[in-house]
Amino acid sequence: MSKDKILVIGSSGQIGTELVHNLRAVYGTDNVIASDIKRTAQAKEGPFEVIDVMNAHQLGEIVTRHDVNQVYLLAALLSATAEKMPKLGWELNMQGLFNVLDLAKEKIIDRIYWPSSIAVFGPNTPRENTPQFTIMEPSTVYGISKQAGERWCEYYFKKYNVDVRSLRYPGLIGWQSAPGGGTTDYAVHIFHEALKTGTYECFLSENTTLPMMYMPDAIKATIGIMQADADKVKIRSSYNLAGFSFSPKDIALEIKKHIPEFTISYTPDSRQQIADSWPQSINATEASKDWGWKPDFDLKQMTDDMFSNLKK
Ligand code: SER
């Protein structure tokens, strides 16, 4: 029997959907409480609570009632949505984090997972093989909130001994759930459109290379850093994490190997500017060195696995 009781906030989103499945396989269904801002179909699969992460009182009540000791905080506005609602993006992304950090400061919970992003980097960051420690200067609301969040995580760790762990996710691609409001979402949409219509109109230009990762690797990294011994997790802001990098043109070529008649066109929109401010590839040496990070999937393996699952 696991002694850990886990709460996943934002559990019905792109990452949460798959993370809850995997956490339940490890810790047992009843030890993983899913929660989101509204009731979703996930409520049929196991324990579920409606939580507004901005409401510290409600959050505290649910954490206490279920005797939760670990929280995975996934509720956030992503890059493209936050540009449309900057104030809400800032408030949700920051207040949600404070509410969870404070639960750990008060020793009500003892471990936190909070995702950061490649969006913490900006136009002045070295774009290739971007190091862990470098110029950041994010230019999006989302990136600003993630960078500030990283600073606060490290601050709570140093000042209050809060055991918070974090990864800078690249664009994430999976078949079980839809992405919501990010700049890298095209890399999921393209698979669905390829199967449905045989064609895709991409909102980024053909040579826009971005760091990406297949969801099973992201889940493996997330659970991996949460299970690592505390003294191995040396970076308490957030770790660079790397899978592989590709452009819309690269993935279109890979998709054509499965669907030869597939066509793609390019109509860049406001998300192009966001993508242009982000790195093209990430150096994840620290994650490998400190707690043994290693991805399993490359572009070809991911594409093969996406098609074999989506076709089912
Ligand atoms: N996938 C995210 C986004 O596009 C990056 O963290 O916003």
Side-chain angles (χ1 to χ4, degrees):
M1 261 291 282
S2 164
K3 57 178 174 23
D4 289 316
K5 205 70 186 281
I6 295 171
L7 175 67
V8 181
I9 303 173
S11 63
S12 302
Q14 189 195 12
I15 302 168
T17 303
E18 296 206 31
L19 183 65
V20 166
H21 288 156
N22 283 272
L23 286 172
R24 284 185 173 154
V26 177
Y27 294 92
T29 301
D30 291 343
N31 291 321
V32 180
I33 296 126
S35 73
D36 216 302
I37 184 84
K38 55 180 196 296
R39 202 160 194 84
T40 67
Q42 211 177 25
K44 295 196 199 96
E45 297 169 9
F48 186 94
E49 294 280 355
V50 172
I51 295 182
D52 176 0
V53 71
M54 306 279 269
N55 185 337
H57 176 78
Q58 181 198 39
L59 175 64
E61 188 276 313
I62 289 167
V63 161
T64 310
R65 176 153 48 85
H66 287 279
D67 206 12
V68 165
N69 70 318
Q70 293 190 12
V71 172
Y72 289 70
L73 170 57
L74 306 177
L77 285 199
L78 290 192
S79 58
T81 315
E83 286 309 293
K84 295 198 188 104
M85 296 179 271
K87 274 277 165 58
L88 178 64
W90 173 255
E91 281 164 18
L92 174 67
N93 294 1
M94 296 312 297
Q95 194 56 50
L97 176 59
F98 278 124
N99 289 347
V100 175
L101 285 173
D102 284 335
L103 287 174
K105 183 184 167 194
E106 289 155 24
K107 307 293 170 209
I108 297 168
I109 57 173
D110 56 36
R111 198 171 294 182
I112 298 170
Y113 178 78
W114 175 79
S116 186
S117 161
I118 53 166
V120 292
F121 299 115
N124 295 322
T125 303
R127 294 192 75 197
E128 278 175 45
N129 200 25
T130 302
Q132 173 73 37
F133 303 106
T134 184
I135 298 168
M136 298 175 89
E137 302 181 9
S139 56
T140 61
V141 174
Y142 177 67
I144 294 169
S145 75
K146 288 296 180 188
Q147 196 198 17
E150 286 191 6
R151 298 288 87 225
W152 278 110
C153 287
E154 191 184 276
Y155 186 89
Y156 269 66
F157 172 72
K158 286 190 171 155
K159 288 271 171 171
Y160 310 123
N161 205 17
V162 164
D163 187 355
V164 54
R165 302 161 183 222
S166 176
L167 301 169
R168 291 171 178 157
Y169 288 135
L172 299 181
I173 300 152
W175 55 271
Q176 294 184 34
S177 51
T183 301
T184 55
D185 295 10
Y186 89 85
V188 179
H189 297 157
I190 196 169
F191 283 97
H192 293 272
E193 290 305 309
L195 283 169
K196 237 190 307 179
T197 66
T199 182
Y200 181 65
E201 186 183 352
C202 187
F203 57 75
L204 298 181
S205 65
E206 63 180 332
N207 292 319
T208 307
T209 300
L210 287 169
M212 300 278 187
M213 180 173 283
Y214 196 32
M215 193 63 85
D217 274 335
I219 302 291
K220 183 176 91 160
T222 305
I223 298 179
I225 193 174
M226 282 297 271
Q227 291 186 335
D229 291 340
D231 61 348
K232 294 230 163 83
V233 185
K234 299 201 190 321
I235 293 173
R236 296 298 183 140
S237 51
S238 190
Y239 277 92
N240 273 9
L241 190 68
F244 45 90
S245 293
F246 61 80
S247 66
K249 189 171 150 191
D250 297 329
I251 193 168
L253 284 172
E254 210 52 50
I255 287 175
K256 270 172 169 293
K257 293 181 188 163
H258 294 257
I259 305 174
E261 60 284 3
F262 175 70
T263 59
I264 183 165
S265 60
Y266 303 94
T267 313
D269 66 14
S270 58
R271 288 167 280 192
Q272 183 66 46
Q273 209 188 343
I274 301 177
D276 289 340
S277 78
W278 288 353
Q280 296 183 328
S281 59
I282 299 288
N283 182 312
T285 308
E286 271 78 7
S288 313
K289 203 172 61 191
D290 290 355
W291 45 274
W293 165 246
K294 191 170 137 334
D296 292 326
F297 288 85
D298 61 16
L299 174 59
K300 180 186 179 309
Q301 290 163 317
M302 173 200 74
T303 306
D304 293 351
D305 200 66
M306 280 293 280
F307 276 121
S308 77
N309 282 295
L310 287 174
K311 279 179 186 161
K312 283 179 199 160

